[in-house]
Amino acid sequence: MKNLRISMKAWSEKLDGHWRAVPLRNQHRYTLLFFLGYLLLTIGVLLKVGFDTAAPSKEMPIQHIVNPVIQNKQSGAAPDSIHNSKKEMLWKIMKAKE
C-alpha cells in the first residue's frame, strides 16, 4: 500500500509539473474550455429532465419498494446461503428415509 501511495504521489507531482510547464494563457484557455463543456453538459441534463417531467402523457408509477430477499424466499427461489442449502438437503434426506 505504501508503494502505491508513493507512485500516486509521484504521478501527481509529474502531472502538476506538466501543468505548470504550460503557459499561463493556455492554462486559462483550457480551464475555460473545460468549464464551458461542463456547463453545456449540465444545461443538457437539466433540459432533458425538464422535458421528461413536463410531458403530460407520461406517468410515474408510485409503488412500494420490494425487498428482493423476502421476495425470493416467497417465490421458492434457491436458498441464499450454503448453510440453509445443507439444512434443506438434510431435511429432505430425513423425510425420504421415513
Side-chain angles (χ1 to χ4, degrees), residues 16-72:
D16 188 48
H18 286 303
W19 177 250
R20 291 179 189 271
V22 174
L24 192 59
R25 180 179 172 125
N26 286 351
Q27 286 183 7
H28 288 189
R29 192 174 290 155
Y30 290 142
T31 305
L32 182 63
L33 286 173
F34 285 130
F35 175 73
L36 288 175
Y38 179 75
L39 184 65
L40 287 173
L41 183 65
T42 302
I43 290 171
V45 168
L46 290 175
L47 287 173
K48 172 76 172 127
V49 169
F51 284 131
D52 287 348
T53 57
S57 63
K58 294 182 181 179
E59 293 182 13
M60 179 184 288
I62 299 174
Q63 301 173 350
H64 290 285
I65 298 173
V66 178
N67 186 344
V69 174
I70 294 172
Q71 186 179 13
N72 283 343

